[in-house]
Amino acid sequence: MYNNMGPQQGMPRPPGNPEPGPFGNPFTGAGSGFIRGGLGAYGERILGSSSEYVQSNITRYFSDPQYYFQVNDQYVRNKLKVVLFPFLHRGHWTRISEPVGGRLSYKPPIYDINAPDLYIPFMAFGTYVVLAGFSLGLNGKFTPEALNWLFVKGLVGWFLQVMLLKVTLLSLGSGEAPLLDIVAYGGYAFAGLCLAGFAKIMWGYSYYALMPWTCLCTGIFLVKTMKRVLFAEVRSYDSSKHHYLLLFLALVQFPLLIWLGNISVNWLL
Amino acid sequence: MTKDFAVPPVVFPSGGSSAGANVQQRRFPAAPFQPPRPSTSAIPFMSFDIGSAAASSATPAGPFGGTMSSSSSFGGGSASFEDEEPLLDELGIHPDQIWKKTRSILNPFRINQSVHKDSDLSGPIFLYLALCLFQLLAGKIQFGVILGWIVVSSIFLYAVFNMLAGRNGNLNLHTCTSLVGYCLLPVVVLSAVSLFVPQGAGPVRFVLAAVFVLWSTRACSTLVVSLADGGEEHRGLISYACFLIYTLFSLLVIF
């Protein structure tokens, strides 16, 4: 049910011009791992090899990443409102599914506010890094190396968030949600972090009010989203185990986001 | 087996005809020996002629965007120095094109997009060196950092643009890097200007940086959307990505 856009639309046209530039194909070097991971189904076209093996392996682990970037301005605005103020979301939280070519797949983010996207998480991550650099600079401790460590810290935090969601899904018996969905849900936490970081720059003490707010909102958002995912994915409905796990999910947001929001030179702390 | 080579005739002032004296004096000829200069640029020990040499040397010169002069330097050795391509053309650096492109970004209100159609990387290299120079004057040695950030941010913009544009997206990495590099010009100007703004005047530096970053963002997003297909309806989203990139560079300048 989740293998939505891949086989139906066929191989999309490659996004980049595959002919080598003056310095050769830029993706045959060390960047190829990143590109293959990040661009998913485009990987085999960009790398220049047309092996079916590579393509099938990639689409097995990553659903089509292009689905997550079908966004527009209005979707981004509304989704940010949902992520930052989840209790104001009046509608339902289920994703709209549509039958495409005989299998059930979900509508892309433009048509469905509840669908996950990858644009907001990536931009929120970038904004987090920039805001962290800014607040380091305001304290007089800005160096490019410190900013690189903060980038690594953000990546580790995102990875931990994804692990948390994945373990929650696995422990309830089914881990079949696509990896990129989980990555997207994990990345929405950065939107709240950016808000808190911005407030910290504006007025230092507002951070202490806005940080618990952010943790709470991210927790509520994740609980409501994962409830729907669990409902769709998991066969057996064990009520108390579900609820305890979801509660745990929301509570873990507090230490995780406080750690991510604490911007100092020592990145581990 | 002796190889005979042409010896210029040795003329003795005495005109003597004794063989011994001639042989002896032939050992030390008065005129220096000149190898025969090939007038047709074909050295005997090179096995290909000038036609294929020009064809084979034209293809590596092509992608560099250089002018298509038939380079006889490949087959002619030291004999045809005058026929060699000018160095800048051979390297693919065209100063007038770089100047035209740079000037097109200098006007913040109207950017001429047609000059950026063929991308090159030598202009961005000059701008990168200028930025590093101004940072050096401010006491910060950040050559590697800036280069690394340019590479990473152009990959980032390439990925974001092509993902957003979907099937029609045809931005390629060379064009993307070229645009990101050229639109660094306002940041270079910012770093030059901020040399004169004292470090203590915080808000002034921030406002100054904000103005230049917005200029940079506007230039970059206009160029990217107009030079590659598929970006028109995602203009705001792409310009936010450009904004993040240039804010990052301005952080290096401000702090």
Side-chain angles (χ1 to χ4, degrees), chain A residues 9 15 23 39 66 71 119 127, chain B residues 121 163 166-167 169 234 237 240:
Chain A
Q9 296 174 354
F23 40 85
L39 297 184
Q66 228 280 300
V71 294
Y119 174 81
T127 314
Chain B
L121 286 183
M163 280 295 165
R167 295 159 176 272
H234 299 117
L237 304 179
Y240 186 68

Side-chain angles (χ1 to χ4, degrees), chain A residues 5-183:
Chain A
M5 299 296 167
Q8 278 82 22
Q9 296 174 354
M11 263 327 274
R13 242 192 59 190
N17 196 349
E19 83 185 5
F23 40 85
N25 193 337
F27 295 122
T28 48
S32 66
F34 158 79
I35 298 294
R36 199 165 42 213
L39 297 184
Y42 291 106
E44 55 102 15
R45 296 296 287 270
I46 289 176
L47 290 180
S49 76
S50 52
S51 67
E52 291 294 320
Y53 176 74
V54 173
Q55 181 196 346
S56 66
N57 260 10
I58 289 173
T59 50
R60 191 166 13 121
Y61 293 120
F62 294 101
S63 46
D64 174 22
Q66 228 280 300
Y67 166 82
Y68 299 94
F69 279 92
Q70 291 172 1
V71 294
N72 60 356
D73 275 346
Q74 188 197 21
Y75 169 83
V76 168
R77 262 202 308 265
N78 291 336
K79 187 75 177 191
L80 277 176
K81 274 192 273 191
V82 168
V83 170
L84 295 174
F85 308 103
F87 37 84
L88 291 179
H89 182 56
R90 289 285 161 235
H92 59 88
W93 286 76
T94 43
R95 287 167 78 175
I96 308 172
S97 64
E98 58 178 359
V100 170
R103 355 160 63 140
L104 224 50
S105 68
Y106 289 116
K107 279 199 166 154
I110 315 186
Y111 304 117
D112 181 12
I113 190 65
N114 294 317
D117 75 309
L118 276 177
Y119 174 81
I120 295 182
F122 274 113
M123 292 301 138
F125 183 74
T127 314
Y128 164 75
V129 171
V130 167
L131 282 176
F134 205 75
S135 79
L136 267 188
L138 282 178
N139 296 336
K141 302 200 208 85
F142 178 82
T143 63
E145 287 75 27
L147 198 62
N148 291 341
W149 281 117
L150 277 173
F151 178 82
V152 170
K153 177 177 180 175
L155 276 185
V156 167
W158 197 345
F159 177 76
L160 283 177
Q161 188 87 292
V162 167
M163 277 298 112
L164 184 71
L165 291 173
K166 194 77 182 172
V167 159
T168 308
L169 274 185
L170 277 175
S171 67
L172 286 173
S174 117
E176 280 156 20
L179 184 62
L180 285 183
D181 270 14
I182 310 285
V183 168

